[in-house]
Amino acid sequence: MQGAERRAGDPGGRAAWKGHIIRELRRRDRAQHGVFQELIQSYNKLLEKSVFLKDLTEKIQTEPVQFPGGHHAARTLPEGVHNAGSDTSPTLQKEISSLRDCNGELAFQVCELKKEVQEREEELLQQRSSISFLSALVDDHKHQCQCLENEMVQMVCANADLKEDYDHLLEERLLLDGRLHEAEEEQRDLIEALTKKKAMEAEQQNSINERRKDEMWNRIVKKALRKTVSAEGDVRHTRSMNLHDLSSREMTGNQELEKSSPRKCRSQSMISLGPSRFMGALRSLFDFRKTPVDCSVDGEWHRPSAVCVICYPPKRALYSKEVHDSEIHAVKFSPNSRMVATGGADRVVKIWDIVGGQLQCQQVLQGSNGGITSIEFDPSGVQVLAASFDGSAHLWKLDTKSNDKMTGHTGKVTAARFKSTYRAVTCSMDRTVREWDLHKAACVRCIAVPSYCSDVVCSDSLVISGHHDKKIRFWDSRSQICVREVTLEEKVTSLYMEQEQTQLLSCSRDDALSLLDLRTGGVLLVFRADGFKCGCDWTKAILSPDSSYSMAGSSDGTIFIWNTRTGLLERSLTGEHSAAVNAVAWSVSGDYVLSVDRGKKAVLWSEY
């Protein structure tokens, strides 16, 4: 019944269902007609045989019989003719017996056929009643179909009204989006103007500071020279008094010596500290480096920390400990190299202070509902940006411990990076790269990418993403256009950009690190080593602060360090990790390296 109702709801299905019933009834009529036709023919044959037997019997009873003496008499067969004696012919008796037997059989067949006819008539009556029921059911379904058609017409009319309302709302939304876009453009222009203004003010303030330093340095140098000259004058006066009684030739020699001694004493006074201590004293008093000032839209001014000029690969482990409750996925040093952040599958980010070559837990940042996949400090070192497997990115402020959650991805977020002070970029397994406004925690741009994205980095003009389809894609930071693609041998696990933004290091599942030139897009070097193997799809490789070395952890717990100038393996660190190393981080000062593995352990390395 339910199937019939469902078919009745569809006009095409209703016609097919009625045709099916008609075909079945016709087929059944043909089959039963054939059976009854055979029965009627058999019955007709039986009647013909009965008539024939009747005629034959009457003929036999009236046939004349010739008696001796020439007399004739009609043969009459009494009912008990089968009991007659010698007066009856044996041949005729046999024929009568066979006819009676045949007549009995035919009578039996007639009874059987009558019984079968009655059964067929009963079946026919049942079929007629079934046809009547089905006809009533068809009429009922027709009525239901009519009702459903009426409801469908009403729904079509209602949908048309809703479509008109939707179109009207869509037009209003497009209008509001246009206004919002104009407001955002105006806001962006205002922010850029404010940033330029503050940058100019910063340059002016830096120039004023430089002039003040120069003036102070000149005053100190002049004062030191005056003290030196006065001291040398006292020495000359003492020497002249002691040599007053010498001869004129000795006086002449002493006078010549005194003429040359001031330069000698002055030179000795200037270099008495030695070149290294003298320059060290100057550096301690003044910093002649022009330090750029980063101006944020909030009016906060951040002076970046000093960068190590020359790095040396670490040699020994200073500290080793299990620092999380589960495997660790990410690690990052702060810009001042005094703190380091770690995060993993236990859904927390821990902030550590480095004191005496050991890690001391300072804060535990909570709020993520999934494992942490990447960690990033902002230039000021007071904000931490983390990507999570819960499909969102989290921004913590270390001074207030506040947590801003940026949601919008439909898959696991694999990386999150600061693009500027108020912008961030994330990538996800949902095949999108999104740019976020950190003040509003809102997505301002979404780039659809062809494959799963494993990592992302940002430069001044590009957003670079690594994918599982073995490609590194370069996107214009102001549009959604892919300007370049680089294809590797296997899927990309991580990307790392040097501070000068001229080189990019990638790690891929073919157990190789590739160093790319961002100016030409070509591959400069490929680093491989016996025993090196990526432990997972998010194994992270890094460059040293001076870009002299590349580093990555292997699946057997060994840390490999290559020389980026020669492409050769420089050093390997073993003995501390017993599980696959997921990530490594090199402090900006160049003093420490921290490695984390899938066995909950973090190891602090140093050259000394």
Side-chain angles (χ1 to χ4, degrees), residues 57-75:
T57 303
E58 291 177 352
K59 182 179 180 182
I60 292 172
Q61 289 178 357
T62 58
E63 182 178 356
V65 180
Q66 185 175 2
F67 294 99
H71 296 285
H72 297 275
R75 181 188 298 178

mmCIF file with all atom_site columns, all heavy atoms in Angstrom, residues 57-75:
data_model
loop_
_atom_site.group_PDB
_atom_site.id
_atom_site.type_symbol
_atom_site.label_atom_id
_atom_site.label_alt_id
_atom_site.label_comp_id
_atom_site.label_asym_id
_atom_site.label_entity_id
_atom_site.label_seq_id
_atom_site.pdbx_PDB_ins_code
_atom_site.Cartn_x
_atom_site.Cartn_y
_atom_site.Cartn_z
_atom_site.occupancy
_atom_site.B_iso_or_equiv
_atom_site.pdbx_formal_charge
_atom_site.auth_seq_id
_atom_site.auth_comp_id
_atom_site.auth_asym_id
_atom_site.auth_atom_id
_atom_site.pdbx_PDB_model_num
ATOM 1   N N   . THR A 1 57 ? -26.454 -47.767 -29.308 1.00 0.00 ? 57 THR A N   1
ATOM 2   C CA  . THR A 1 57 ? -27.256 -48.660 -28.453 1.00 0.00 ? 57 THR A CA  1
ATOM 3   C C   . THR A 1 57 ? -28.663 -48.831 -29.004 1.00 0.00 ? 57 THR A C   1
ATOM 4   O O   . THR A 1 57 ? -29.216 -49.951 -29.067 1.00 0.00 ? 57 THR A O   1
ATOM 5   C CB  . THR A 1 57 ? -27.311 -48.094 -27.029 1.00 0.00 ? 57 THR A CB  1
ATOM 6   O OG1 . THR A 1 57 ? -25.978 -47.936 -26.542 1.00 0.00 ? 57 THR A OG1 1
ATOM 7   C CG2 . THR A 1 57 ? -28.084 -49.020 -26.098 1.00 0.00 ? 57 THR A CG2 1
ATOM 8   N N   . GLU A 1 58 ? -29.272 -47.726 -29.435 1.00 0.00 ? 58 GLU A N   1
ATOM 9   C CA  . GLU A 1 58 ? -30.613 -47.810 -29.998 1.00 0.00 ? 58 GLU A CA  1
ATOM 10  C C   . GLU A 1 58 ? -30.613 -48.644 -31.281 1.00 0.00 ? 58 GLU A C   1
ATOM 11  O O   . GLU A 1 58 ? -31.527 -49.435 -31.567 1.00 0.00 ? 58 GLU A O   1
ATOM 12  C CB  . GLU A 1 58 ? -31.154 -46.413 -30.285 1.00 0.00 ? 58 GLU A CB  1
ATOM 13  C CG  . GLU A 1 58 ? -31.439 -45.619 -29.027 1.00 0.00 ? 58 GLU A CG  1
ATOM 14  C CD  . GLU A 1 58 ? -31.902 -44.218 -29.345 1.00 0.00 ? 58 GLU A CD  1
ATOM 15  O OE1 . GLU A 1 58 ? -31.862 -43.810 -30.541 1.00 0.00 ? 58 GLU A OE1 1
ATOM 16  O OE2 . GLU A 1 58 ? -32.272 -43.490 -28.383 1.00 0.00 ? 58 GLU A OE2 1
ATOM 17  N N   . LYS A 1 59 ? -29.550 -48.493 -32.072 1.00 0.00 ? 59 LYS A N   1
ATOM 18  C CA  . LYS A 1 59 ? -29.448 -49.253 -33.320 1.00 0.00 ? 59 LYS A CA  1
ATOM 19  C C   . LYS A 1 59 ? -29.334 -50.741 -33.042 1.00 0.00 ? 59 LYS A C   1
ATOM 20  O O   . LYS A 1 59 ? -29.935 -51.574 -33.714 1.00 0.00 ? 59 LYS A O   1
ATOM 21  C CB  . LYS A 1 59 ? -28.256 -48.745 -34.124 1.00 0.00 ? 59 LYS A CB  1
ATOM 22  C CG  . LYS A 1 59 ? -28.099 -49.435 -35.464 1.00 0.00 ? 59 LYS A CG  1
ATOM 23  C CD  . LYS A 1 59 ? -26.912 -48.852 -36.198 1.00 0.00 ? 59 LYS A CD  1
ATOM 24  C CE  . LYS A 1 59 ? -26.759 -49.543 -37.561 1.00 0.00 ? 59 LYS A CE  1
ATOM 25  N NZ  . LYS A 1 59 ? -25.589 -49.029 -38.297 1.00 0.00 ? 59 LYS A NZ  1
ATOM 26  N N   . ILE A 1 60 ? -28.569 -51.077 -32.055 1.00 0.00 ? 60 ILE A N   1
ATOM 27  C CA  . ILE A 1 60 ? -28.384 -52.498 -31.718 1.00 0.00 ? 60 ILE A CA  1
ATOM 28  C C   . ILE A 1 60 ? -29.692 -53.091 -31.200 1.00 0.00 ? 60 ILE A C   1
ATOM 29  O O   . ILE A 1 60 ? -30.073 -54.233 -31.530 1.00 0.00 ? 60 ILE A O   1
ATOM 30  C CB  . ILE A 1 60 ? -27.259 -52.662 -30.694 1.00 0.00 ? 60 ILE A CB  1
ATOM 31  C CG1 . ILE A 1 60 ? -25.916 -52.306 -31.347 1.00 0.00 ? 60 ILE A CG1 1
ATOM 32  C CG2 . ILE A 1 60 ? -27.227 -54.070 -30.133 1.00 0.00 ? 60 ILE A CG2 1
ATOM 33  C CD1 . ILE A 1 60 ? -24.773 -52.262 -30.371 1.00 0.00 ? 60 ILE A CD1 1
ATOM 34  N N   . GLN A 1 61 ? -30.420 -52.333 -30.417 1.00 0.00 ? 61 GLN A N   1
ATOM 35  C CA  . GLN A 1 61 ? -31.664 -52.862 -29.839 1.00 0.00 ? 61 GLN A CA  1
ATOM 36  C C   . GLN A 1 61 ? -32.748 -53.082 -30.918 1.00 0.00 ? 61 GLN A C   1
ATOM 37  O O   . GLN A 1 61 ? -33.585 -53.950 -30.823 1.00 0.00 ? 61 GLN A O   1
ATOM 38  C CB  . GLN A 1 61 ? -32.179 -51.901 -28.758 1.00 0.00 ? 61 GLN A CB  1
ATOM 39  C CG  . GLN A 1 61 ? -31.326 -51.922 -27.525 1.00 0.00 ? 61 GLN A CG  1
ATOM 40  C CD  . GLN A 1 61 ? -31.822 -50.922 -26.501 1.00 0.00 ? 61 GLN A CD  1
ATOM 41  O OE1 . GLN A 1 61 ? -32.786 -50.175 -26.780 1.00 0.00 ? 61 GLN A OE1 1
ATOM 42  N NE2 . GLN A 1 61 ? -31.225 -50.958 -25.314 1.00 0.00 ? 61 GLN A NE2 1
ATOM 43  N N   . THR A 1 62 ? -32.756 -52.289 -31.961 1.00 0.00 ? 62 THR A N   1
ATOM 44  C CA  . THR A 1 62 ? -33.784 -52.397 -33.008 1.00 0.00 ? 62 THR A CA  1
ATOM 45  C C   . THR A 1 62 ? -33.312 -53.194 -34.205 1.00 0.00 ? 62 THR A C   1
ATOM 46  O O   . THR A 1 62 ? -34.018 -53.282 -35.220 1.00 0.00 ? 62 THR A O   1
ATOM 47  C CB  . THR A 1 62 ? -34.178 -50.985 -33.467 1.00 0.00 ? 62 THR A CB  1
ATOM 48  O OG1 . THR A 1 62 ? -33.025 -50.286 -33.954 1.00 0.00 ? 62 THR A OG1 1
ATOM 49  C CG2 . THR A 1 62 ? -34.820 -50.213 -32.315 1.00 0.00 ? 62 THR A CG2 1
ATOM 50  N N   . GLU A 1 63 ? -32.163 -53.784 -34.206 1.00 0.00 ? 63 GLU A N   1
ATOM 51  C CA  . GLU A 1 63 ? -31.631 -54.526 -35.370 1.00 0.00 ? 63 GLU A CA  1
ATOM 52  C C   . GLU A 1 63 ? -32.398 -55.867 -35.474 1.00 0.00 ? 63 GLU A C   1
ATOM 53  O O   . GLU A 1 63 ? -32.516 -56.587 -34.489 1.00 0.00 ? 63 GLU A O   1
ATOM 54  C CB  . GLU A 1 63 ? -30.133 -54.783 -35.189 1.00 0.00 ? 63 GLU A CB  1
ATOM 55  C CG  . GLU A 1 63 ? -29.529 -55.498 -36.380 1.00 0.00 ? 63 GLU A CG  1
ATOM 56  C CD  . GLU A 1 63 ? -28.039 -55.708 -36.194 1.00 0.00 ? 63 GLU A CD  1
ATOM 57  O OE1 . GLU A 1 63 ? -27.472 -55.211 -35.149 1.00 0.00 ? 63 GLU A OE1 1
ATOM 58  O OE2 . GLU A 1 63 ? -27.418 -56.339 -37.039 1.00 0.00 ? 63 GLU A OE2 1
ATOM 59  N N   . PRO A 1 64 ? -32.935 -56.315 -36.695 1.00 0.00 ? 64 PRO A N   1
ATOM 60  C CA  . PRO A 1 64 ? -33.699 -57.581 -36.839 1.00 0.00 ? 64 PRO A CA  1
ATOM 61  C C   . PRO A 1 64 ? -32.798 -58.805 -36.717 1.00 0.00 ? 64 PRO A C   1
ATOM 62  O O   . PRO A 1 64 ? -31.649 -58.741 -37.123 1.00 0.00 ? 64 PRO A O   1
ATOM 63  C CB  . PRO A 1 64 ? -34.307 -57.474 -38.239 1.00 0.00 ? 64 PRO A CB  1
ATOM 64  C CG  . PRO A 1 64 ? -33.419 -56.511 -38.973 1.00 0.00 ? 64 PRO A CG  1
ATOM 65  C CD  . PRO A 1 64 ? -32.910 -55.549 -37.939 1.00 0.00 ? 64 PRO A CD  1
ATOM 66  N N   . VAL A 1 65 ? -33.403 -59.889 -36.205 1.00 0.00 ? 65 VAL A N   1
ATOM 67  C CA  . VAL A 1 65 ? -32.653 -61.138 -35.993 1.00 0.00 ? 65 VAL A CA  1
ATOM 68  C C   . VAL A 1 65 ? -33.303 -62.254 -36.845 1.00 0.00 ? 65 VAL A C   1
ATOM 69  O O   . VAL A 1 65 ? -34.537 -62.405 -36.825 1.00 0.00 ? 65 VAL A O   1
ATOM 70  C CB  . VAL A 1 65 ? -32.650 -61.526 -34.511 1.00 0.00 ? 65 VAL A CB  1
ATOM 71  C CG1 . VAL A 1 65 ? -31.875 -62.803 -34.312 1.00 0.00 ? 65 VAL A CG1 1
ATOM 72  C CG2 . VAL A 1 65 ? -32.092 -60.391 -33.678 1.00 0.00 ? 65 VAL A CG2 1
ATOM 73  N N   . GLN A 1 66 ? -32.511 -63.016 -37.572 1.00 0.00 ? 66 GLN A N   1
ATOM 74  C CA  . GLN A 1 66 ? -33.025 -64.097 -38.433 1.00 0.00 ? 66 GLN A CA  1
ATOM 75  C C   . GLN A 1 66 ? -33.009 -65.393 -37.654 1.00 0.00 ? 66 GLN A C   1
ATOM 76  O O   . GLN A 1 66 ? -31.961 -65.807 -37.163 1.00 0.00 ? 66 GLN A O   1
ATOM 77  C CB  . GLN A 1 66 ? -32.157 -64.228 -39.695 1.00 0.00 ? 66 GLN A CB  1
ATOM 78  C CG  . GLN A 1 66 ? -32.709 -65.228 -40.666 1.00 0.00 ? 66 GLN A CG  1
ATOM 79  C CD  . GLN A 1 66 ? -31.902 -65.266 -41.954 1.00 0.00 ? 66 GLN A CD  1
ATOM 80  O OE1 . GLN A 1 66 ? -30.913 -64.556 -42.077 1.00 0.00 ? 66 GLN A OE1 1
ATOM 81  N NE2 . GLN A 1 66 ? -32.351 -66.097 -42.918 1.00 0.00 ? 66 GLN A NE2 1
ATOM 82  N N   . PHE A 1 67 ? -34.199 -66.025 -37.546 1.00 0.00 ? 67 PHE A N   1
ATOM 83  C CA  . PHE A 1 67 ? -34.336 -67.288 -36.832 1.00 0.00 ? 67 PHE A CA  1
ATOM 84  C C   . PHE A 1 67 ? -34.384 -68.431 -37.834 1.00 0.00 ? 67 PHE A C   1
ATOM 85  O O   . PHE A 1 67 ? -34.673 -68.222 -39.024 1.00 0.00 ? 67 PHE A O   1
ATOM 86  C CB  . PHE A 1 67 ? -35.615 -67.302 -35.966 1.00 0.00 ? 67 PHE A CB  1
ATOM 87  C CG  . PHE A 1 67 ? -35.560 -66.301 -34.858 1.00 0.00 ? 67 PHE A CG  1
ATOM 88  C CD1 . PHE A 1 67 ? -36.184 -65.071 -34.994 1.00 0.00 ? 67 PHE A CD1 1
ATOM 89  C CD2 . PHE A 1 67 ? -34.884 -66.613 -33.691 1.00 0.00 ? 67 PHE A CD2 1
ATOM 90  C CE1 . PHE A 1 67 ? -36.129 -64.196 -33.967 1.00 0.00 ? 67 PHE A CE1 1
ATOM 91  C CE2 . PHE A 1 67 ? -34.864 -65.718 -32.677 1.00 0.00 ? 67 PHE A CE2 1
ATOM 92  C CZ  . PHE A 1 67 ? -35.470 -64.503 -32.787 1.00 0.00 ? 67 PHE A CZ  1
ATOM 93  N N   . PRO A 1 68 ? -34.242 -69.647 -37.403 1.00 0.00 ? 68 PRO A N   1
ATOM 94  C CA  . PRO A 1 68 ? -34.341 -70.801 -38.323 1.00 0.00 ? 68 PRO A CA  1
ATOM 95  C C   . PRO A 1 68 ? -35.779 -70.922 -38.869 1.00 0.00 ? 68 PRO A C   1
ATOM 96  O O   . PRO A 1 68 ? -36.752 -70.694 -38.166 1.00 0.00 ? 68 PRO A O   1
ATOM 97  C CB  . PRO A 1 68 ? -33.999 -72.006 -37.418 1.00 0.00 ? 68 PRO A CB  1
ATOM 98  C CG  . PRO A 1 68 ? -33.198 -71.430 -36.313 1.00 0.00 ? 68 PRO A CG  1
ATOM 99  C CD  . PRO A 1 68 ? -33.749 -70.067 -36.094 1.00 0.00 ? 68 PRO A CD  1
ATOM 100 N N   . GLY A 1 69 ? -35.903 -71.277 -40.094 1.00 0.00 ? 69 GLY A N   1
ATOM 101 C CA  . GLY A 1 69 ? -37.219 -71.397 -40.765 1.00 0.00 ? 69 GLY A CA  1
ATOM 102 C C   . GLY A 1 69 ? -37.548 -70.149 -41.544 1.00 0.00 ? 69 GLY A C   1
ATOM 103 O O   . GLY A 1 69 ? -38.618 -70.058 -42.138 1.00 0.00 ? 69 GLY A O   1
ATOM 104 N N   . GLY A 1 70 ? -36.609 -69.155 -41.604 1.00 0.00 ? 70 GLY A N   1
ATOM 105 C CA  . GLY A 1 70 ? -36.789 -67.958 -42.415 1.00 0.00 ? 70 GLY A CA  1
ATOM 106 C C   . GLY A 1 70 ? -37.558 -66.876 -41.735 1.00 0.00 ? 70 GLY A C   1
ATOM 107 O O   . GLY A 1 70 ? -37.942 -65.896 -42.369 1.00 0.00 ? 70 GLY A O   1
ATOM 108 N N   . HIS A 1 71 ? -37.871 -66.977 -40.440 1.00 0.00 ? 71 HIS A N   1
ATOM 109 C CA  . HIS A 1 71 ? -38.611 -65.922 -39.742 1.00 0.00 ? 71 HIS A CA  1
ATOM 110 C C   . HIS A 1 71 ? -37.656 -64.861 -39.264 1.00 0.00 ? 71 HIS A C   1
ATOM 111 O O   . HIS A 1 71 ? -36.520 -65.128 -38.895 1.00 0.00 ? 71 HIS A O   1
ATOM 112 C CB  . HIS A 1 71 ? -39.371 -66.546 -38.543 1.00 0.00 ? 71 HIS A CB  1
ATOM 113 C CG  . HIS A 1 71 ? -40.414 -67.526 -38.983 1.00 0.00 ? 71 HIS A CG  1
ATOM 114 N ND1 . HIS A 1 71 ? -41.650 -67.167 -39.543 1.00 0.00 ? 71 HIS A ND1 1
ATOM 115 C CD2 . HIS A 1 71 ? -40.438 -68.934 -38.964 1.00 0.00 ? 71 HIS A CD2 1
ATOM 116 C CE1 . HIS A 1 71 ? -42.361 -68.271 -39.840 1.00 0.00 ? 71 HIS A CE1 1
ATOM 117 N NE2 . HIS A 1 71 ? -41.649 -69.354 -39.502 1.00 0.00 ? 71 HIS A NE2 1
ATOM 118 N N   . HIS A 1 72 ? -38.137 -63.655 -39.302 1.00 0.00 ? 72 HIS A N   1
ATOM 119 C CA  . HIS A 1 72 ? -37.333 -62.487 -38.819 1.00 0.00 ? 72 HIS A CA  1
ATOM 120 C C   . HIS A 1 72 ? -38.058 -61.861 -37.654 1.00 0.00 ? 72 HIS A C   1
ATOM 121 O O   . HIS A 1 72 ? -39.299 -61.770 -37.651 1.00 0.00 ? 72 HIS A O   1
ATOM 122 C CB  . HIS A 1 72 ? -37.133 -61.439 -39.902 1.00 0.00 ? 72 HIS A CB  1
ATOM 123 C CG  . HIS A 1 72 ? -36.356 -61.964 -41.073 1.00 0.00 ? 72 HIS A CG  1
ATOM 124 N ND1 . HIS A 1 72 ? -35.013 -61.988 -41.123 1.00 0.00 ? 72 HIS A ND1 1
ATOM 125 C CD2 . HIS A 1 72 ? -36.812 -62.532 -42.258 1.00 0.00 ? 72 HIS A CD2 1
ATOM 126 C CE1 . HIS A 1 72 ? -34.613 -62.511 -42.296 1.00 0.00 ? 72 HIS A CE1 1
ATOM 127 N NE2 . HIS A 1 72 ? -35.707 -62.877 -43.012 1.00 0.00 ? 72 HIS A NE2 1
ATOM 128 N N   . ALA A 1 73 ? -37.258 -61.314 -36.738 1.00 0.00 ? 73 ALA A N   1
ATOM 129 C CA  . ALA A 1 73 ? -37.828 -60.588 -35.600 1.00 0.00 ? 73 ALA A CA  1
ATOM 130 C C   . ALA A 1 73 ? -36.831 -59.522 -35.143 1.00 0.00 ? 73 ALA A C   1
ATOM 131 O O   . ALA A 1 73 ? -35.621 -59.689 -35.285 1.00 0.00 ? 73 ALA A O   1
ATOM 132 C CB  . ALA A 1 73 ? -38.164 -61.552 -34.456 1.00 0.00 ? 73 ALA A CB  1
ATOM 133 N N   . ALA A 1 74 ? -37.418 -58.474 -34.694 1.00 0.00 ? 74 ALA A N   1
ATOM 134 C CA  . ALA A 1 74 ? -36.511 -57.398 -34.206 1.00 0.00 ? 74 ALA A CA  1
ATOM 135 C C   . ALA A 1 74 ? -35.849 -57.822 -32.915 1.00 0.00 ? 74 ALA A C   1
ATOM 136 O O   . ALA A 1 74 ? -36.494 -58.393 -32.044 1.00 0.00 ? 74 ALA A O   1
ATOM 137 C CB  . ALA A 1 74 ? -37.330 -56.128 -33.996 1.00 0.00 ? 74 ALA A CB  1
ATOM 138 N N   . ARG A 1 75 ? -34.577 -57.441 -32.868 1.00 0.00 ? 75 ARG A N   1
ATOM 139 C CA  . ARG A 1 75 ? -33.796 -57.783 -31.667 1.00 0.00 ? 75 ARG A CA  1
ATOM 140 C C   . ARG A 1 75 ? -34.067 -56.732 -30.609 1.00 0.00 ? 75 ARG A C   1
ATOM 141 O O   . ARG A 1 75 ? -33.837 -55.554 -30.844 1.00 0.00 ? 75 ARG A O   1
ATOM 142 C CB  . ARG A 1 75 ? -32.320 -57.829 -31.979 1.00 0.00 ? 75 ARG A CB  1
ATOM 143 C CG  . ARG A 1 75 ? -31.461 -58.191 -30.776 1.00 0.00 ? 75 ARG A CG  1
ATOM 144 C CD  . ARG A 1 75 ? -29.996 -58.042 -31.081 1.00 0.00 ? 75 ARG A CD  1
ATOM 145 N NE  . ARG A 1 75 ? -29.583 -58.944 -32.141 1.00 0.00 ? 75 ARG A NE  1
ATOM 146 C CZ  . ARG A 1 75 ? -28.344 -58.990 -32.628 1.00 0.00 ? 75 ARG A CZ  1
ATOM 147 N NH1 . ARG A 1 75 ? -27.418 -58.193 -32.136 1.00 0.00 ? 75 ARG A NH1 1
ATOM 148 N NH2 . ARG A 1 75 ? -28.033 -59.826 -33.619 1.00 0.00 ? 75 ARG A NH2 1
#
